[in-house]
C-alpha cells in the first residue's frame, strides 16, 4: 500500500463499536489518510477520535418523512476537493447520495457506494432505483461475494467496478474472553450451576429483541423441545422494544422458569460464559453479525432458510457444515433442526468446530481489510491512467 498515498472519506450514519477495529486497521495502512464522517456514535465521536489512526468528523443527518434522510457533508465536502476517494452509503433513503454522485462525477473524484446490494423487503421500484444509483457511481462495495455475482450476472454491473469486503467482526476480544473462561473450568462450571445451565441442553439467542427477529418462534420451539429434553434452558441475551411482550409470552407458555432474559451484555468477558454454556445458537429470522459472534464461541447456528430475508452475514452459514436451516415460518421444522443438535453430541461437536474455523479462516477482519485494499488499488490505478 506504500504506492497509494490517498485521502479517503467514508460517510456513515453512525459509528457502531464493531466498526472501530475496521477503521483502525484501514487508517493504519501506509500511505492512506482516512476520515470517517458520521452523524453519531455508540459512544461519543470525541472518544472514537482519541488515540485512533483515523479522523472522525461530525456530519449530522437530517431526517425526513418515510425514513428518508440527508447528510449534507456528502455534497458540501466535494467542493473543497480534499479527498481522492469517497465511500458513501448505498441506501436509497439517503437523498443526498444522488447529488453527491453527480457532483463527484462532474469534478472527477471517484465515489463508491457501500452496502448490502439488496433489500430485505424487495420492491420493483426501490430495487431499480438502488441499482441505478450503483451504476451511476464509479463503483460499489458489497459485504458478500454472492450478491456481487448476482449484480454482475443478473443486473448488468461491470465486474471491474464491483468490490467485496466480507463483513466481519474483530475476533480478538471474542477469542481472548473465550480463552479466559475455557482456561478456568471451575469458574465456568460455577457460573453454569448458578444459572442452572447444562451446556448440553442450552439454546442461546443474542441480538436486539425486535419483532423482525421472530424470537417468539424460539419461545414456542422451547416448549416442544423441553418435552424431549428435560432441563433445557433458553437464554435470550439482548434488549429491545419486544422484551416485555416476550417475557409475557414466556409466562403465558409457562416456561418462565426455563427462559433466562439476560438483558443486554456489552462486555465480552461477561458475555463469554453465557455463550460458552450454549449447545447451539438459534436466531429464527433476520440474522446478521450475531452469527459471526456465535461462531467465535464455536456455537453452531439454526436459522431460517429464506436467505434473501436475512442479512448478508448469512453467507457464512453452511447447512450441515457449521449450522442448520429450517423451513422459513415452519415451527415444527425449527424444533426438528434444534433437536438434531441437542440429541447428537457428535453432530454438535462437528458443527461447533466448523463454526469456529469459519470465523478464523474465512470471515476474519484481515479478509475484510483485504477487500478495501483491492478498492484502494483500483483507485490508485485510476490515477496512473
Amino acid at each position: 500500500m506504500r504506492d497509494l498515498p490517498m485521502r479517503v472519506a467514508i460517510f456513515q450514519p453512525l459509528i457502531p463499536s464493531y466498526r472501530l477495529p475496521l477503521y483502525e486497521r484501514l487508517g493504519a495502512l501506509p500511505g492512506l489518510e482516512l476520515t470517517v464522517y458520521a452523524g453519531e456514535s455508540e459512544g461519543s465521536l470525541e472518544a472514537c477520535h482519541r488515540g485512533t489512526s483515523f479522523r472522525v468528523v461530525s456530519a449530522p443527518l437530517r431526517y425526513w418523512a418515510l425514513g428518508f434522510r440527508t447528510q449534507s457533508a456528502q455534497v458540501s465536502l466535494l467542493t473543497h476537493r480534499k479527498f481522492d476517494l469517497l465511500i458513501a452509503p448505498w441506501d436509497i433513503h439517503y437523498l443526498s447520495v444522488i447529488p453527491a454522485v453527480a457532483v463527484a462525477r462532474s469534478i472527477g473524484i471517484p465515489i463508491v457506494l457501500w452496502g448490502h446490494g439488496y433489500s430485505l423487503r424487495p420492491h420493483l421500484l426501490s430495487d431499480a432505483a438502488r441499482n441505478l444509483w450503483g451504476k451511476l457511481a464509479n463503483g460499489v462495495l458489497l459485504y458478500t461475494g454472492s450478491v456481487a455475482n448476482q449484480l454482475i450476472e443478473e443486473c448488468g454491473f461491470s465486474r471491474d467496478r464491483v468490490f467485496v469486503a466480507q463483513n466481519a467482526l474483530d475476533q480478538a476480544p471474542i477469542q481472548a474472553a473465550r480463552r479466559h473462561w475455557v482456561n478456568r473450568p471451575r469458574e465456568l462450571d460455577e457460573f453454569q450451576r448458578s444459572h442452572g445451565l447444562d451446556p448440553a441442553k442450552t439454546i442461546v439467542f443474542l441480538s436486539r429483541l425486535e419483532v423482525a427477529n421472530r424470537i417468539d418462534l424460539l419461545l414456542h420451539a422451547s416448549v416442544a423441545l423441553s418435552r424431549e429434553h428435560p432441563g433445557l434452558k433458553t437464554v435470550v441475551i439482548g434488549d429491545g422494544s419486544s422484551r416485555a411482550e416476550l417475557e409475557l409470552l414466556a409466562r403465558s407458555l409457562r416456561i418462565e422458569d426455563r427462559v433466562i432474559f439476560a438483558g443486554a451484555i456489552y462486555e465480552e468477558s461477561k458475555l463469554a460464559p453465557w455463550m460458552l454454556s450454549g449447545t447451539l445458537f438459534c436466531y429464527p429470522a433476520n440474522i446478521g453479525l450475531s452469527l459471526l459472534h456465535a461462531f467465535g464461541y464455536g456455537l453452531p447456528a439454526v436459522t431460517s432458510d429464506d436467505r434473501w430475508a436475512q442479512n448478508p452475514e448469512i453467507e457464512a452459514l453452511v447447512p450441515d457444515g457449521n449450522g442448520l436451516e429450517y423451513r422459513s415460518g415452519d415451527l415444527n421444522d425449527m424444533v426438528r433442526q434444534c433437536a438434531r443438535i441437542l440429541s447428537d453430541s457428535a453432530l454438535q461437536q462437528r458443527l461447533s468446530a466448523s463454526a469456529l474455523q469459519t470465523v478464523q479462516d474465512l470471515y476474519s477482519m484481515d479478509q475484510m481489510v483485504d477487500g478495501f485494499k483491492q478498492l484502494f488499488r483500483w483507485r490508485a490505478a485510476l490515477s496512473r491512467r
Side-chain angles (χ1 to χ4, degrees):
M1 296 296 296
R2 296 185 183 280
D3 60 337
L4 299 178
M6 67 177 66
R7 300 161 299 174
V8 176
I10 296 179
F11 296 93
Q12 293 284 275
L14 76 161
I15 302 180
S17 58
Y18 66 81
R19 276 284 177 253
L20 288 174
L22 171 66
Y23 297 148
E24 289 279 11
R25 295 276 295 272
L26 295 180
L29 293 174
L32 189 77
E33 296 178 6
L34 176 64
T35 304
V36 178
Y37 290 86
E40 53 186 309
S41 170
E42 288 183 347
S44 68
L45 290 177
E46 292 77 12
C48 288
H49 180 70
R50 268 190 240 111
T52 63
S53 61
F54 64 96
R55 291 180 62 233
V56 179
V57 178
S58 176
L61 276 66
R62 183 172 181 180
Y63 293 89
W64 306 85
L66 303 176
F68 289 104
R69 66 207 73 158
T70 53
Q71 192 174 27
S72 60
Q74 295 176 6
V75 180
S76 61
L77 283 172
L78 288 165
T79 60
H80 303 296
R81 299 174 181 266
K82 292 171 57 178
F83 296 100
D84 304 302
L85 175 65
L86 304 181
I87 302 175
W90 193 9
D91 185 338
I92 62 172
H93 291 97
Y94 281 87
L95 301 179
S96 48
V97 169
I98 279 295
V101 169
V103 174
R105 294 297 298 261
S106 69
I107 63 178
I109 298 178
I111 183 168
V112 170
L113 303 185
W114 182 22
H116 291 191
Y118 69 97
S119 173
L120 294 178
R121 292 177 291 276
H123 187 279
L124 184 63
L125 292 179
S126 59
D127 290 351
R130 182 187 60 249
N131 289 342
L132 175 62
W133 290 22
K135 290 177 182 178
L136 290 174
N138 297 91
V140 294
L141 179 64
L142 300 158
Y143 291 134
T144 58
S146 61
V147 177
N149 290 333
Q150 184 183 38
L151 291 177
I152 294 167
E153 296 169 4
E154 300 179 18
C155 301
F157 279 72
S158 299
R159 187 174 296 276
D160 61 350
R161 297 197 304 116
V162 176
F163 305 91
V164 177
Q166 288 186 157
N167 213 13
L169 288 176
D170 181 13
Q171 288 289 326
I174 297 172
Q175 296 311 312
R178 178 174 172 271
R179 286 192 298 270
H180 173 90
W181 283 91
V182 168
N183 291 333
R184 292 165 175 80
R186 290 184 180 177
E187 293 180 26
L188 182 57
D189 184 63
E190 175 57 31
F191 176 90
Q192 291 166 350
R193 283 203 309 272
S194 68
H195 293 284
L197 301 177
D198 181 344
K201 297 179 181 180
T202 301
I203 299 175
V204 177
F205 171 89
L206 168 65
S207 190
R208 293 282 301 168
L209 308 189
E210 304 295 343
V211 172
N213 298 336
R214 296 306 311 272
I215 308 154
D216 58 310
L217 283 178
L218 173 57
L219 297 186
H220 282 284
S222 299
V223 175
L225 288 164
S226 294
R227 298 190 190 107
E228 298 297 326
H229 301 275
L232 177 78
K233 289 287 182 72
T234 299
V235 177
V236 178
I237 305 171
D239 209 343
S241 63
S242 293
R243 177 167 180 171
E245 182 181 345
L246 291 168
E247 290 178 336
L248 181 61
L249 176 60
R251 288 194 294 272
S252 69
L253 293 173
R254 299 182 179 179
I255 57 170
E256 64 268 31
D257 60 334
R258 287 173 270 161
V259 179
I260 299 174
F261 288 92
I265 303 175
Y266 299 110
E267 292 182 45
E268 203 66 49
S269 61
K270 294 181 179 179
L271 177 63
W274 292 104
M275 303 296 278
L276 290 170
S277 300
T279 316
L280 65 96
F281 178 72
C282 184
Y283 199 123
N286 197 39
I287 201 167
L289 276 168
S290 293
L291 175 66
L292 303 182
H293 206 156
F295 279 180
Y297 286 101
L299 276 175
V302 174
T303 190
S304 164
D305 65 355
D306 185 0
R307 292 199 159 215
W308 290 109
Q310 308 270 28
N311 287 289
E313 295 76 21
I314 187 61
E315 189 164 293
L317 189 141
V318 179
D320 203 38
N322 50 28
L324 301 174
E325 292 180 329
Y326 72 92
R327 287 189 298 274
S328 179
D330 188 335
L331 175 61
N332 291 331
D333 197 41
M334 177 195 287
V335 171
R336 279 193 292 271
Q337 300 308 326
C338 290
R340 286 181 60 193
I341 298 176
L342 290 167
S343 303
D344 188 339
S345 60
L347 174 65
Q348 195 279 339
Q349 291 170 16
R350 176 173 65 81
L351 298 178
S352 174
S354 181
L356 186 56
Q357 187 175 19
T358 296
V359 291
Q360 290 175 337
D361 298 345
L362 301 176
Y363 287 83
S364 67
M365 189 58 64
D366 284 345
Q367 289 196 314
M368 191 171 189
V369 170
D370 285 344
F372 276 87
K373 285 182 178 180
Q374 182 184 12
L375 174 64
F376 299 151
R377 284 192 287 268
W378 164 82
R379 174 60 185 94
L382 291 181
S383 300
R384 294 192 291 268
R385 291 179 183 173

